Amino acid sequence: MKTIEEMKGILITENPNYFSYCLLLLKDSRIALCSSAKIVKIIDPSNEFNCDITIDLKSDYIMSVCQIDNGHIITATLDCDIYILSITKFTFDIILVIPMAHLFNINKIVALGDNKFASCSRDMSIKIWSQTSKEPITVIKDVGVYISSLLFLEDKNLLIAGTGKGIRKYNANTYRFINKVSKIICTCQNCLNRFDENRLIITGYTNI
């Protein structure tokens, strides 16, 4: 196991001006890292954190990554595209590209189960997708504000949206609005994380 000091030497690229947007633990215990270097790296912690795959989609910044049930990797880019990828130990294939999935940059994507996933954007919408279609299953348009982040709570059947005007809860099956907490303002794409069964870690501003 590497120490914190040793891990500081793990570079996204040879250019130190780049920074990471998202880290995701994959089903095979590797880590997917997406960054402003416009690539996704698949890193193996069991092998000195060596990079097994560098995925260059010839896109803009890669803002978020998730993994659906069948193991496919979903990435979202600053230029509003979604890529569905299959990966092996050392290779990747592009399964589907959804161009201009949103009108403005995509901030976060999360897996929902049943090989579905959700995306949120500056265009004030949340879209629900399947892995096989370029058209969304449904679009949630009632938010009315910039959406920074999403979190799926499978055991509670909830989709949580973090926005500039509070946190909104939706039923994860019907996608109907449940309620909101206005005093917490979410400002970045990774501001919603689960702490334990009943609590979240939220980074952002608060009006409490």
Side-chain angles (χ1 to χ4, degrees):
M1 178 66 69
K2 287 184 179 289
T3 66
I4 295 296
E5 288 303 315
E6 288 172 326
M7 290 183 67
K8 288 179 180 177
I10 300 171
L11 297 179
I12 301 167
T13 71
E14 295 305 314
N15 188 333
N17 294 319
Y18 292 127
F19 51 90
S20 61
Y21 284 112
C22 182
L23 286 171
L24 176 71
L25 180 63
L26 301 177
K27 297 178 187 296
D28 63 6
S29 297
R30 293 186 292 176
I31 296 169
L33 182 153
C34 59
S35 76
S36 61
K38 306 180 182 181
I39 58 175
V40 179
K41 284 194 171 187
I42 307 299
I43 298 168
D44 187 355
S46 69
N47 186 24
E48 296 296 313
F49 286 84
N50 285 328
C51 178
D52 287 343
I53 312 173
T54 297
I55 301 172
D56 186 352
L57 300 173
K58 310 299 181 185
S59 67
D60 208 326
Y61 294 177
I62 299 174
M63 304 294 292
S64 186
V65 61
C66 72
Q67 186 175 34
I68 56 178
D69 293 339
N70 64 7
H72 287 170
I73 302 296
I74 318 295
T75 69
T77 69
L78 187 65
D79 46 6
C80 309
D81 298 336
I82 290 175
Y83 290 80
I84 301 175
L85 313 167
S86 67
I87 61 171
T88 63
K89 177 62 177 174
F90 297 113
T91 63
F92 75 95
D93 288 305
I94 298 176
I95 303 300
L96 184 70
V97 180
I98 306 174
M100 290 302 298
H102 284 267
L103 295 177
F104 300 111
N105 58 283
I106 301 167
N107 290 323
K108 187 75 174 181
I109 51 173
V110 293
L112 296 178
D114 296 325
N115 291 318
K116 295 185 291 186
F117 58 96
S119 60
C120 68
S121 168
R122 282 187 59 219
D123 67 8
M124 301 188 292
S125 73
I126 300 168
K127 295 187 178 184
I128 312 299
W129 307 87
S130 75
Q131 61 163 338
T132 57
S133 176
K134 295 184 180 182
E135 297 298 324
I137 296 170
T138 192
V139 181
I140 300 171
K141 296 181 178 179
D142 68 345
V143 183
V145 69
Y146 180 109
I147 307 164
S148 301
S149 191
L150 294 172
L151 179 65
F152 174 52
L153 303 179
E154 183 176 11
D155 57 323
K156 297 184 180 299
N157 195 35
L158 290 175
L159 180 62
I160 312 295
T163 81
K165 291 186 178 180
I167 293 174
R168 301 173 67 86
K169 292 196 297 185
Y170 294 87
N171 181 292
N173 287 332
T174 64
Y175 312 115
R176 291 182 177 176
F177 174 72
I178 299 173
N179 58 30
K180 68 178 180 178
V181 179
S182 299
K183 58 188 175 183
I184 299 174
I185 299 172
C186 297
T187 58
C188 66
Q189 66 261 45
N190 295 312
C191 61
L192 296 175
N193 292 278
R194 193 164 199 175
F195 181 71
D196 58 24
E197 182 180 356
N198 295 309
R199 293 181 293 178
L200 305 180
I201 297 175
I202 303 171
T203 55
Y205 299 107
T206 176
N207 294 329
I208 295 175

